[in-house]
Amino acid sequence: MFRPLNWLLGLFSLDIGIDLGTANTLVSVRDRGIVINEPSWVAINKRTRRPLAIGAEAREMVGRTPADIVAIRPLRDGVISEFEITEAMLKYFISKSHEQMLVPFPRPRVVVGVPSGVTEVEKRAVYDATISAGAREAFLIEEPMAAAIGAGLPIIESRGSMIVDIGGGTTEVAIFAMGGIVISRSIRVAGDEMDEDIIQYARNKYNLLIGERMAERIKIGIGSAFALPEERTMTMRGRNLINGLPQSVEISSIELREALAPSINIIVDTVRDAIDETPPELVADLMETGVCLAGGGAQIQGLADRIEDAVKMRVWVAEDSMTCVARGAGRVLEDLDNYGRVLVGLDRGSTHH
């Protein structure tokens, strides 16, 4: 039945794709691309639990707040651990996307990426938070599916394609054919776990206590999964655990590779296991199309080479890998006819029309 009001709303609607990540939240707006890329941090008043700062501003406060303020990440391992705070964060990002538009739009339609391993309760939490944050309609899509669409993989076709999406809290491995996921693996080893590996390595080898931000900076700077053509070093600053005084240590990319090895090995093994379970026809397709890496973790130097060495097929990093999920989520609303069936229902009816 034709409803003029719905048609008009659709015409002027703001379509938003959100990658609600453990480490970063990215927002993609139809016809405008990525408009927000901010850390998923919220600074709250401990007593009232009222948000005081969100995103980049809150991230700056980490480890520097007075006693009554705490900076937290409301998502852990890709799922909501603090509902009200996630809702406030979503509301902030959705209204910020609105503010950037020259004309006021009706409430937006929003597609949010969720990890493929989430439970019905976790899906419902994301859906409810999105509606409460001001969405007119909310749809959920599995992150590997959104990443594959964002990376331009032919997921609707009958030939197989594969994505490895390495985020902050989870690594998602999925093999697709004919618009569906044939094999999927979701592990809670990703960017955060790598930072933790670096913190432990600094503690065990140098008796040096470093913070999460320092660990992340070193990982981005000289982290690698495969021997580099030219090995590099970086200064690591923290507190000496023996005398309690500040200390700087020069760490090399070779040492860092040793530190990151446990997490990298788990990711490589997960990719290998997924391929091992794939039907032979699809394996033949993958040998042609290769394996696509997406997410912030895909940017670790030499990771594609390391996985390629293990699975014996071409591995490549998606263009602008960090934004694949947000771009893919946004693209779904542009072409609901083709991509409508890849959306995840709660009880199948509540996110579809």
Side-chain angles (χ1 to χ4, degrees):
M1 193 174 93
F2 178 69
R3 292 192 179 95
L5 181 62
N6 281 7
W7 178 78
L8 265 172
L9 279 173
L11 200 61
F12 293 106
S13 174
L14 189 64
D15 286 345
I16 295 177
I18 298 179
D19 174 7
L20 191 60
T22 307
N24 295 284
T25 296
L26 289 92
V27 179
S28 155
V29 172
R30 185 177 190 159
D31 299 330
R32 300 202 39 237
I34 302 293
V35 295
I36 290 169
N37 179 355
E38 290 201 35
S40 303
W41 283 91
V42 182
I44 58 167
N45 180 308
K46 267 187 185 171
R47 200 167 41 81
T48 63
R49 296 192 68 74
R50 199 171 61 82
L52 304 172
I54 294 172
E57 196 186 336
R59 170 75 193 269
E60 281 304 310
M61 297 181 176
V62 176
R64 301 184 173 122
T65 55
D68 59 334
I69 296 171
V70 62
I72 62 167
R73 293 204 292 190
L75 291 109
R76 277 281 155 207
D77 301 325
V79 296
I80 294 177
S81 57
E82 299 273 359
F83 184 80
E84 283 84 6
I85 297 166
T86 302
E87 191 185 312
M89 187 172 81
L90 270 170
K91 201 170 277 182
Y92 168 79
F93 289 134
I94 289 173
S95 64
K96 196 169 173 182
S97 313
H98 257 228
E99 282 163 20
Q100 294 178 6
M101 307 308 283
L102 299 172
V103 288
F105 277 86
R107 294 195 310 156
R109 296 191 304 171
V110 179
V111 174
V112 185
V114 292
S116 55
V118 297
T119 63
E120 284 300 316
V121 174
E122 289 163 344
K123 280 188 225 164
R124 169 63 68 183
V126 176
Y127 177 79
D128 289 347
T130 310
I131 292 291
S132 306
R136 184 174 92 249
E137 287 180 277
F139 302 89
L140 306 181
I141 185 170
E142 292 181 328
E143 278 167 7
M145 185 69 84
I149 295 168
L153 296 185
I155 60 158
I156 303 292
E157 295 177 18
S158 56
R159 65 192 167 115
S161 48
M162 180 173 183
I163 195 130
V164 180
D165 178 21
I166 307 162
T170 56
T171 293
E172 310 267 344
V173 177
I175 292 156
F176 311 92
M178 301 179 74
I181 295 178
V182 182
I183 303 280
S184 88
R185 289 270 175 284
S186 181
I187 53 167
R188 297 191 170 187
V189 174
D192 290 350
E193 198 72 23
M194 292 179 200
D195 295 345
E196 198 51 50
D197 285 344
I198 296 168
I199 291 169
Q200 282 306 322
Y201 187 85
R203 179 191 282 264
N204 297 339
K205 184 162 183 181
Y206 293 109
N207 283 314
L208 188 70
L209 182 65
I210 62 169
E212 282 178 27
R213 294 188 65 180
M214 176 56 69
E216 188 183 26
R217 203 175 303 148
I218 292 166
K219 175 184 75 181
I220 292 168
I222 59 169
S224 64
F226 210 72
L228 298 174
E230 197 178 307
E231 302 292 355
R232 296 170 32 229
T233 62
M234 205 167 160
T235 305
M236 182 166 67
R237 295 186 184 88
R239 190 175 79 234
N240 185 300
L241 285 163
I242 295 167
N243 61 22
L245 297 173
Q247 187 186 355
S248 296
V249 171
E250 201 78 8
I251 186 166
S252 73
S253 49
I254 299 169
E255 290 174 287
L256 207 61
R257 203 156 47 246
E258 187 189 324
L260 293 172
S263 293
I264 300 285
N265 289 343
I266 291 170
I267 292 169
V268 171
D269 289 347
T270 306
V271 174
R272 204 197 269 124
D273 290 348
I275 291 171
D276 201 30
E277 285 186 30
T278 304
E281 288 296 330
L282 290 181
V283 171
D285 292 341
L286 296 182
M287 290 175 80
E288 280 179 43
T289 56
V291 178
C292 175
L293 302 186
Q299 293 165 356
I300 286 182
Q301 299 173 77
L303 184 57
D305 297 331
R306 172 83 169 78
I307 296 174
E308 193 166 288
D309 194 52
V311 300
K312 303 291 181 268
M313 58 174 86
R314 186 173 73 94
V315 179
W316 49 283
V317 179
E319 191 183 337
D320 201 1
S321 64
M322 181 106 173
T323 67
C324 281
V325 172
R327 283 186 290 126
R331 201 165 294 161
V332 168
L333 286 174
E334 289 173 31
D335 192 1
L336 265 180
D337 290 345
N338 270 327
Y339 291 129
R341 62 199 173 101
V342 306
L343 296 168
V344 194
L346 296 173
D347 40 23
R348 241 10 230 178
S350 34
T351 58
H352 276 23
H353 24 227

